[in-house]
Amino acid sequence: MLIAGNWKMFKGPEEARRFCLELRDVELPLDVDVVVCPPFVSLESAVQVLAGTEIGVFAQNCHWEREGAFTGEVSAAMLRELGVYGTIVGHSERRQFFGETDETVARRTAAALEAGLQVIACVGETEAERDAGETESVLRRQLSVLEADDNLVIAYEPVWAIGTGRTATPELAHEAHEIVKSVLDVPVLYGGSVKPENARGLLARTVVDGALVGGASLELDSFEAICRAASPS
Ligand code: PGA
């Protein structure tokens, strides 16, 4: 089981440091891998505070070139140098607002894996695509550019469930995760309004290998509760 907290554009270096200090003292279930994904500027303080713990620090994006004239981008090599363990790639907010395409997601993923980072690559349909019965074809298209890898995890995040409070039912998540797994034999996280109240039902599904948590990962209590819900013991 993997529980990853996607902080999005929240928590600057000082707030990240304080949160990680508290998180470090929480007794998290041993059978759950816990990861936080701070914004770039807060990665260093998270890495420092969580050094020597089992909690991993991931970035939220990474460029495919090692270095170059790419204003505003950060490379996998730079993240590695900082002690970052992995990265999210292809989050729907990047696809929606920052022109990320299947092609750029594929390039970012390949480069990050090549550099030795773990990757959580995000896929998921919009509400219009689901209503049009296109969920499976959208997922297949988004996944078609990726290759299975020991360090690759897919996050299935239906866009209509992100930050909306509308969670996919466990049945619906199950169906989508089966589609993902039929294309790529890798662990699949569910993401989209995961809360302490709905986490257990979703994570109880055999095809759900963890969760990518946004809003509920910003508060220690709710993040801890979701980590606990991920442990069958
Ligand atoms: P949410 O975000 O939990 O706030 O819906 C999930 C995500 O975007 O990764």
Side-chain angles (χ1 to χ4, degrees):
M1 269 300 171
L2 169 63
I3 302 295
N6 174 13
W7 293 359
K8 309 193 177 185
M9 201 171 72
F10 291 95
K11 297 191 195 297
E14 184 50 32
E15 200 182 333
R17 196 182 66 82
R18 270 186 274 122
F19 183 93
C20 291
L21 279 170
E22 287 184 40
L23 180 63
R24 199 171 68 173
D25 288 340
V26 171
E27 233 179 272
L28 295 166
L30 293 172
D31 49 359
V32 178
D33 293 322
V34 177
V35 157
V36 292
C37 313
F40 284 130
V41 292
S42 305
L43 286 169
E44 188 167 17
S45 52
V47 165
Q48 282 173 357
V49 174
L50 297 174
T53 73
E54 295 290 312
I55 303 165
V57 178
F58 279 36
Q60 298 174 12
N61 194 14
C62 125
H63 196 262
W64 54 84
E65 294 290 349
R66 192 183 165 82
E67 56 186 11
F70 300 104
T71 304
E73 293 283 333
V74 169
S75 75
M78 293 169 181
L79 295 172
R80 290 271 295 174
E81 184 180 339
L82 208 57
V84 169
Y85 206 69
T87 185
I88 298 172
V89 160
H91 189 279
S92 63
E93 284 151 15
R94 297 220 53 88
R95 294 178 189 257
Q96 236 178 318
F97 306 128
F98 302 102
E100 199 78 66
T101 63
D102 293 337
E103 173 62 27
T104 55
V105 172
R107 294 179 79 178
R108 292 180 196 278
T109 302
L113 290 170
E114 174 76 16
L117 290 173
Q118 299 215 342
V119 174
I120 300 174
C122 304
V123 298
E125 80 288 0
T126 62
E127 182 158 38
E129 288 163 343
R130 175 159 286 272
D131 289 346
E134 293 167 358
T135 299
E136 177 158 0
S137 59
V138 167
L139 293 178
R140 286 187 181 280
R141 191 203 73 223
Q142 292 174 333
L143 292 164
S144 66
V145 294
L146 303 174
E147 279 173 36
D149 188 288
D150 286 347
N151 287 321
L152 177 66
V153 171
I154 298 295
Y156 167 63
E157 299 204 303
V159 178
W160 47 269
I162 294 178
T164 58
R166 285 175 61 200
T167 322
T169 59
E171 293 72 28
L172 197 147
H174 190 118
E175 261 174 42
H177 282 223
E178 280 193 329
I179 295 169
V180 174
K181 282 176 181 283
S182 74
V183 181
L184 283 182
D185 185 17
V186 298
V188 183
L189 313 181
Y190 170 78
S193 298
V194 175
K195 307 277 179 257
E197 308 82 62
N198 58 31
R200 202 170 285 280
L202 288 158
L203 294 165
R205 296 280 164 160
T206 49
V207 290
V208 177
D209 302 303
L212 183 54
V213 185
S217 73
L218 296 173
E219 299 294 332
L220 192 64
D221 288 352
S222 47
F223 189 52
E224 180 187 347
I226 293 168
C227 292
R228 290 200 186 291
S231 174
S233 52

